[in-house]
């Protein structure tokens, strides 16, 4: 299907939507059948059922607290299953040792010591008192299932210190946690297997982990949005940039969703994971832990740095350049500036205002792009038109410097952290690079505000068809004719290519609505005279109803006056 040529109205009416399946409340029979679903049966929507079942167990715990309890256990289950799968494979090899940690490290599988294996936790999940050896002291202890889980986390960190040091949650033994709830969670997650009946990995626990992260972000609202970018937004950026190979960077990486989607893109296009190298930085230590665990669950090798200062004040990769940058930095932050940033080498297009970091993020990312690098950045809508504190001058310099490639206006309610609409900036250091058409002095504007559908009362999401329509327009516009993607054409109300001179006439404002025009209305075939008669009859009915209400009000007031 030619997504680029479809009308916005067609998308809005659902003609290019993939079917969606609403999650159902899990009953006992469905929960009990999760194991069979996970081992080769129909697993559509199992993540939602699993989350609802797990959420019923949390009692009085707040989502922000319960998040680490549930995600930590899913992580433990995931790496234990991966370990057991490789262990079974080693057992069939003549000269392999299934109890040699090096055998697992060589295969990029976490070594899981006996005291941390899921079968050991499951066997003790309902016991009120458990005797075990503390891996930190070597001494015998008596504790409960929470203490046993903490000991397992310590054990795994010690065995895989290069990747997991100080990453895993270790607060399961605290008195406030209901140990019965922990035992029931272990039982619940035990029902989900990572492998199908034919032994092929279905990555069900990885899917569950990702789904749980998104649901906790929704439950936490604004705070949740700080560590999670909605999947459909990430997927839009990834599909537009197409990160096939090279270095991928995110200076405010949150829980690592950009990286997960990049790896998924490569796999979906028959590429190799080893073709990309991942780099990220995160200022929030708790979120950094989530990111490390999220990538570890996926088996993604990445260099993720943490420090208290963040990317502006303590750039973890000061000399590295990247082929792709993808970021959803915090919108409009006003407390980012420090005197040492005065005259920084990154401010090539102008020094950003101390009261808003939007253009600091953009210039930080441009600074880190390789000569042929491209970037996709989520920012607040104000970045497209603001003239305050020199922001208009910086935007003008970026436009005249020809580093802005494409602008996408997004609908509202896409994000957990804010209900206001945002936009996507796509940047390119060299518009003639990477085998694409030379686009010097030309920009693409996409107005996607009418796309998406409501997934619940407060939040919107792009469908696969929406994403294909947005990315398809961009790819056709930037492609050479011989690429075989078809001819790009402007679509009124949705997308339009615009020369630099026209952007200058609009004062270097980059709001797509100024450029794409108005959507051509679809002709429904009803003659004008007939439609006019219908509208006139409807208006007469409304006038009549209005007069009746007016008479009723007057009569009521007269009654009240008479009583007085």
């Amino acid at each position: 299907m030619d997504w680029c040529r479809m009308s916005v109205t067609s998308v809005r009416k659902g003609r290019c939507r993939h079917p969606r399946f609403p999650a159902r409340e899990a009953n006992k029979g469905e929960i009990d059948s999760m194991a069979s679903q996970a081992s080769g049966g129909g697993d559509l929507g199992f993540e939602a059922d699993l989350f609802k079942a797990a959420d019923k167990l949390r009692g009085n715990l707040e989502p922000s607290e319960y998040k680490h309890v549930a995600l930590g256990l899913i992580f433990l289950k995931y790496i234990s299953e991966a370990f057991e799968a490789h262990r079974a494979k080693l057992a069939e090899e003549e000269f392999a040792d299934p109890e040699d940690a090096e055998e697992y490290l060589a295969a990029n599988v976490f070594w899981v010591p006996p005291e941390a294996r899921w079968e050991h936790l499951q066997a003790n999940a309902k016991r009120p008192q458990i005797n075990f050896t503390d891996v930190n002291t070597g001494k015998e202890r008596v504790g409960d299932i929470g203490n046993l889980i903490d000991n397992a986390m310590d054990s795994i960190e010690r065995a895989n210190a290069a990747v997991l040091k100080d990453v895993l949650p270790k607060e399961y033994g605290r008195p406030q946690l209901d140990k019965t709830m922990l035992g029931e969670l272990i039982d619940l997650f035990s029902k989900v297997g990572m492998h199908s009946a034919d032994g092929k990995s279905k990555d069900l626990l990885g899917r569950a982990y990702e789904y749980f992260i998104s649901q906790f972000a929704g439950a936490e609202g604004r705070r949740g949005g700080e560590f999670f970018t909605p999947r459909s937004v990430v997927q839009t950026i990834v599909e537009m940039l197409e990160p096939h190979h090279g270095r991928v960077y995110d200076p405010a990486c949150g829980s690592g969703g950009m990286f997960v989607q990049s790896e998924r893109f490569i796999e979906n296009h028959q590429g190799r994971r080893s073709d990309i190298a991942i780099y990220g930085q995160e200022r929030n230590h708790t979120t950094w832990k989530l990111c490390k665990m999220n990538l570890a669950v996926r088996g993604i090798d990445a260099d993720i740095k943490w420090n208290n200062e963040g990317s502006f004040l303590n750039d973890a990769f000061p000399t590295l350049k990247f082929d792709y940058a993808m970021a959803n930095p915090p919108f409009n932050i006003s407390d980012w500036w420090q005197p040492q940033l005065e005259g920084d080498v990154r401010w090539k297009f102008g020094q950003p205002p101390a009261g808003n970091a939007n253009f600091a993020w953009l210039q930080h990312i441009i600074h880190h792009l390789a000569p042929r690098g491209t970037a996709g950045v989520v920012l607040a809508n104000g970045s497209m038109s603001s003239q305050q504190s020199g922001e208009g001058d910086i935007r003008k310099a970026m436009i005249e410097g020809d580093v802005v490639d494409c602008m996408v206006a997004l609908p509202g309610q896409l994000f957990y952290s804010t209900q206001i609409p945002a936009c996507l900036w796509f940047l390119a250091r060299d518009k003639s690079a990477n085998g694409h058409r030379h686009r010097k002095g030309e920009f693409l504007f996409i107005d996607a505000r009418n796309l998406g559908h409501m997934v619940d009362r407060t939040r919107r999401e792009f469908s696969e068809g929406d994403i294909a329509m947005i990315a398809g327009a961009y790819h056709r516009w930037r492609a050479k004719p011989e690429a075989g993607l078809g001819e790009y054409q402007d679509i009124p109300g949705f997308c339009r290519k615009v020369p630099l001179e026209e952007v200058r006439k609009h004062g270097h404002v980059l709001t797509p609505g100024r450029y794409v025009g108005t959507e051509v209305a679809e002709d429904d075939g009803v003659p004008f005279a007939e439609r006019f008669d219908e509208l006139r009859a409807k208006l007469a009915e409304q006038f009549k109803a209005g007069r009746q209400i007016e008479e009723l009000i007057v009569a009521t007031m007269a009654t009240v006056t008479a009583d007085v």
Side-chain angles (χ1 to χ4, degrees):
M1 183 177 289
D2 187 347
W3 295 106
C4 186
R5 297 295 304 279
M6 293 195 70
S7 76
V8 181
T9 303
S10 297
V11 175
R12 226 179 9 240
K13 291 182 177 179
R15 296 175 189 165
C16 63
R17 287 240 173 85
H18 288 200
R20 302 194 61 83
F21 298 84
R24 297 165 285 106
E25 187 70 23
N27 59 40
K28 185 179 185 301
E30 290 172 322
I31 295 170
D32 290 341
S33 70
M34 285 179 190
S36 62
Q37 289 181 347
S39 59
D43 55 28
L44 186 63
F46 93 97
E47 304 101 318
D49 287 339
L50 185 63
F51 180 82
K52 288 180 180 179
D55 195 47
K56 288 179 180 178
L57 300 175
R58 71 180 169 96
N60 295 324
L61 284 179
E62 290 297 318
S64 58
E65 188 177 12
Y66 183 64
K67 170 176 66 186
H68 302 290
V69 173
L71 292 175
L73 285 178
I74 295 178
F75 175 84
L76 209 57
K77 176 66 160 56
Y78 188 96
I79 66 169
S80 189
E81 286 235 358
F83 168 84
E84 293 295 346
H86 192 64
R87 188 175 182 226
K89 188 183 300 183
L90 291 174
E92 296 176 357
E93 297 179 9
E94 185 176 356
F95 300 106
D97 180 2
E99 292 301 323
D100 182 359
E102 293 299 324
E103 296 273 16
Y104 297 86
L105 299 178
N108 230 4
V109 175
F110 289 110
W111 164 254
V112 182
E115 64 273 6
R117 294 171 191 171
W118 190 262
E119 59 184 14
H120 178 61
L121 299 179
Q122 188 178 4
N124 289 281
K126 300 298 179 65
R127 295 177 59 192
Q129 284 193 338
I130 307 166
N131 296 312
F132 64 96
T133 303
D134 190 312
V135 297
N136 292 314
T137 65
K139 296 179 180 180
E140 290 297 315
R141 283 185 58 190
V142 178
D144 52 33
I145 184 59
N147 302 127
L148 198 66
I149 296 171
D150 284 341
N151 198 56
M153 296 292 190
D154 276 325
S155 179
I156 291 172
E157 280 195 356
R158 290 165 67 93
N160 305 275
V163 178
L164 297 177
K165 182 176 172 58
D166 298 328
V167 168
L168 305 185
K170 295 181 285 290
E171 296 182 344
Y172 292 88
R174 67 187 191 272
Q176 296 88 343
L177 271 187
D178 183 348
K179 302 310 184 286
T180 300
M181 177 267 291
L182 287 180
E184 290 176 344
L185 272 180
I186 290 174
D187 278 352
L188 180 67
F189 295 146
S190 295
K191 298 178 187 296
V192 183
M194 191 177 69
H195 293 79
S196 59
D198 59 3
K200 294 181 180 178
S201 173
K202 296 189 72 177
D203 195 28
L204 296 187
L205 286 168
R207 283 171 46 186
Y209 193 93
E210 184 176 7
Y211 186 85
F212 272 52
I213 287 180
S214 70
Q215 293 304 300
F216 284 127
E220 292 183 64
R222 185 173 182 83
R223 287 184 58 207
E226 294 175 3
F227 68 82
F228 182 79
T229 304
R231 181 175 175 177
S232 69
V233 177
V234 177
Q235 190 176 347
T236 301
I237 295 173
V238 171
E239 288 292 334
M240 291 182 74
L241 290 182
E242 299 184 303
H244 288 292
H245 61 276
R247 292 171 171 169
V248 178
Y249 172 59
D250 186 344
C253 63
S255 58
M258 299 283 186
F259 304 137
V260 171
Q261 289 289 343
S262 296
E263 294 268 346
R264 186 175 287 135
F265 175 86
I266 288 178
E267 291 170 355
N268 290 343
H269 291 78
Q270 289 73 53
R272 298 176 302 175
R273 283 186 171 190
S274 58
D275 285 344
I276 67 170
I278 287 172
Y279 300 83
Q281 184 167 352
E282 174 56 44
R283 182 175 184 174
N284 184 295
H285 193 251
T286 302
T287 303
W288 172 80
K289 289 182 177 182
L290 274 182
C291 181
K292 295 281 283 186
M293 290 171 63
N294 193 18
L295 299 182
V297 160
R298 295 287 182 179
I300 297 174
D301 188 20
D303 188 358
I304 309 298
K305 303 292 189 184
W306 165 81
N307 58 56
N308 275 320
E309 298 92 342
S311 294
F312 293 137
L313 295 176
N314 189 353
D315 189 350
F317 309 101
T319 61
L320 283 186
K321 302 295 182 181
F322 302 97
D323 301 286
Y324 304 95
M326 296 177 282
N328 176 21
F331 293 175
N332 302 323
I333 56 173
S334 59
D335 58 350
W336 70 282
W337 179 260
Q338 294 294 330
Q340 61 264 41
L341 293 173
E342 184 84 30
D344 193 281
V345 66
R346 290 170 289 185
W347 316 145
K348 179 180 177 181
F349 299 98
Q351 185 160 294
N356 194 315
N358 287 344
F359 283 90
W361 285 116
L362 288 173
Q363 294 191 83
H364 173 88
I365 287 169
I366 293 171
H367 172 77
H368 275 292
L369 286 182
R372 303 164 70 88
T374 56
V377 186
V378 186
L379 278 181
N381 266 3
S383 63
M384 297 188 290
S385 58
S386 171
Q387 301 292 340
Q388 296 178 350
S389 305
E391 288 184 331
D393 294 332
I394 299 174
R395 186 174 55 251
K396 175 182 177 180
M398 291 174 61
I399 293 168
E400 295 292 339
D402 216 22
V403 296
V404 179
D405 200 33
C406 173
M407 299 296 301
V408 180
L410 299 175
Q413 297 180 282
L414 280 176
F415 297 87
Y416 295 107
S417 54
T418 177
Q419 298 301 310
I420 64 171
C423 62
L424 301 179
W425 288 67
F426 287 91
L427 311 170
R429 283 287 298 273
D430 182 350
K431 288 187 177 181
S432 64
N434 305 314
H436 302 310
R437 179 177 64 86
H438 197 340
R439 308 177 300 283
K440 181 178 175 62
E442 184 178 300
F443 309 88
L444 180 66
F445 291 93
I446 298 176
D447 191 344
R449 290 177 296 172
N450 291 321
L451 301 187
H453 59 281
M454 299 302 292
V455 292
D456 55 38
R457 185 172 52 85
T458 61
R459 197 173 64 82
R460 183 178 295 271
E461 190 175 86
F462 283 147
S463 69
E464 296 286 339
D466 296 331
I467 295 169
M469 187 175 182
I470 296 168
Y474 181 56
H475 293 160
R476 292 171 190 272
W477 169 73
R478 73 178 183 178
K480 292 179 178 178
E482 56 267 28
L485 297 181
E487 181 185 359
Y488 166 82
Q489 290 191 11
D490 292 339
I491 301 176
F494 176 64
C495 64
R496 181 168 170 248
K497 61 180 181 182
V498 176
L500 173 60
E501 190 55 43
E502 185 172 343
V503 176
R504 286 172 175 161
K505 290 179 181 178
H506 283 276
H508 296 90
V509 169
L510 294 176
T511 308
R514 290 195 175 210
Y515 301 98
V516 301
T518 305
E519 179 186 0
V520 178
E522 287 190 353
D523 184 3
D524 57 10
V526 179
F528 172 76
E530 182 179 335
R531 180 179 297 281
F532 183 77
D533 287 341
E534 289 178 1
L535 292 173
R536 183 167 57 185
K538 184 177 292 186
L539 184 62
E541 291 177 3
Q542 291 172 344
F543 281 153
K544 181 179 179 181
R547 286 193 296 270
Q548 290 173 344
I549 293 173
E550 183 180 348
E551 291 170 359
L552 178 62
I553 293 172
V554 171
T556 302
M557 291 180 65
T559 302
V560 172
T561 304
D563 291 341
V564 173

